[in-house]
Amino acid sequence: MSERSVSKSREQKRWYSVLAPEQFDRQELGETLAEEPQQVVGRTITTTLDELTGDSNANNTKLTFKITDVGSDSAYTEFIKYELTRDYLRSLVRRGASKVEASITVLTTDDYRIRVQPVALTTKKADRSQEKAIRRVMIDKVHAAAEERTFEAFVDAIVDGNLSSAIYGDAKEIYPLRRVEVQKLTLEARPREVAAEEEASVDVDADEVAVDE
């Protein structure tokens, strides 16, 4: 492609400001370039929590957003992932101590299905039964949090550290802990997707009953 063609192609494109959801005060996350508005939908953008909050202690947390709608010159997003950086996670691990992890899938009160991956770091090496008990606390606390929170409120509980603190408070009674973190949260399905899956499941069950009869 000639330089003139490239220049003309760029002239036909326009920049869209990518905005965070209302939960994050519609802050600008960046810009994206496209010829048509529909080309922007579905794109993702990742930033760090400190860039959104100004808290320099939050630079180890990455947030990912997905563009779902486009206006005249703005692209609107939904939150889809929370994740701690690999460097930060590695820095938490200590030789001679235990690292207890869990992966838990739950539904929030407004029917968002999310996968939550907490991690607990002990001060010294715990035995297998203690690790199992700590993992049980993680699972129970995550389920309890989902049962009483919307998706937005659940995300807030992780970003604010409230869920990690709740896990820490109970799990430290089992074995001394150095730290508890939620290392990752991923949005797996939205309410309409969950409803469609449930409807499909009901249809399959009905077909199986009909066959049995």
Side-chain angles (χ1 to χ4, degrees):
M1 184 181 292
S2 67
E3 290 185 8
R4 183 175 180 181
S5 297
V6 172
S7 177
K8 185 176 181 180
S9 176
R10 279 191 169 276
E11 287 176 1
Q12 292 173 342
K13 294 182 179 181
R14 61 183 303 178
W15 287 99
Y16 295 87
S17 296
V18 183
L19 304 179
E22 288 184 10
Q23 178 182 6
F24 296 94
D25 301 324
R26 292 288 191 202
Q27 292 189 59
E28 185 171 337
L29 301 172
E31 292 183 311
T32 189
L33 186 65
E35 291 181 2
E36 300 291 339
Q38 60 267 26
Q39 294 176 337
V40 175
V41 176
R43 292 180 182 177
T44 60
I45 186 168
T46 300
T47 187
T48 56
L49 183 58
D50 71 312
E51 291 178 339
L52 287 179
T53 63
D55 180 2
S56 59
N57 294 321
N59 64 343
N60 296 312
T61 303
K62 297 189 295 182
L63 304 177
T64 301
F65 301 88
K66 184 177 183 179
I67 297 174
T68 57
D69 193 19
V70 184
S72 58
D73 57 2
S74 297
Y76 303 96
T77 64
E78 66 174 350
F79 168 85
I80 61 169
K81 187 188 292 184
Y82 167 105
E83 187 174 17
L84 298 181
T85 63
R86 290 181 182 180
D87 288 346
Y88 177 64
L89 287 171
R90 280 197 294 266
S91 73
L92 297 178
V93 179
R94 295 288 186 274
R95 184 176 298 178
S98 295
K99 178 183 180 183
V100 185
E101 299 175 287
S103 182
I104 310 145
T105 299
V106 291
L107 275 180
T108 59
T109 58
D110 49 354
D111 288 337
Y112 282 81
R113 188 170 72 234
I114 55 179
R115 184 159 56 96
V116 187
Q117 296 171 261
V119 58
L121 292 309
T122 63
T123 56
K124 295 181 180 180
K125 184 66 177 177
D127 63 36
R128 185 170 297 180
S129 64
Q130 290 166 329
E131 291 180 357
K132 184 177 180 180
I134 291 171
R135 188 172 293 108
R136 184 73 257 170
V137 169
M138 290 178 173
I139 294 170
D140 290 345
K141 285 296 183 182
V142 169
H143 276 282
E147 288 170 1
E148 62 184 26
R149 287 177 173 85
T150 63
F151 174 59
E152 183 175 317
F154 194 101
V155 172
D156 284 342
I158 288 181
V159 171
D160 295 341
N162 293 334
L163 181 55
S164 296
S165 295
I167 294 172
Y168 182 91
D170 282 7
K172 71 178 182 179
E173 302 300 325
I174 299 167
Y175 194 86
L177 299 178
R178 194 163 50 80
R179 197 165 187 86
V180 172
E181 297 274 10
V182 173
Q183 56 184 332
K184 192 173 185 180
L185 176 149
T186 307
L187 171 61
E188 292 196 336
R190 299 154 189 80
R192 63 182 180 275
E193 296 163 340
V194 171
E197 289 173 2
E198 291 177 348
E199 184 176 344
S201 176
V202 169
D203 290 342
V204 170
D205 291 343
D207 291 341
E208 290 177 350
V209 170
V211 170
D212 292 340
E213 290 176 350

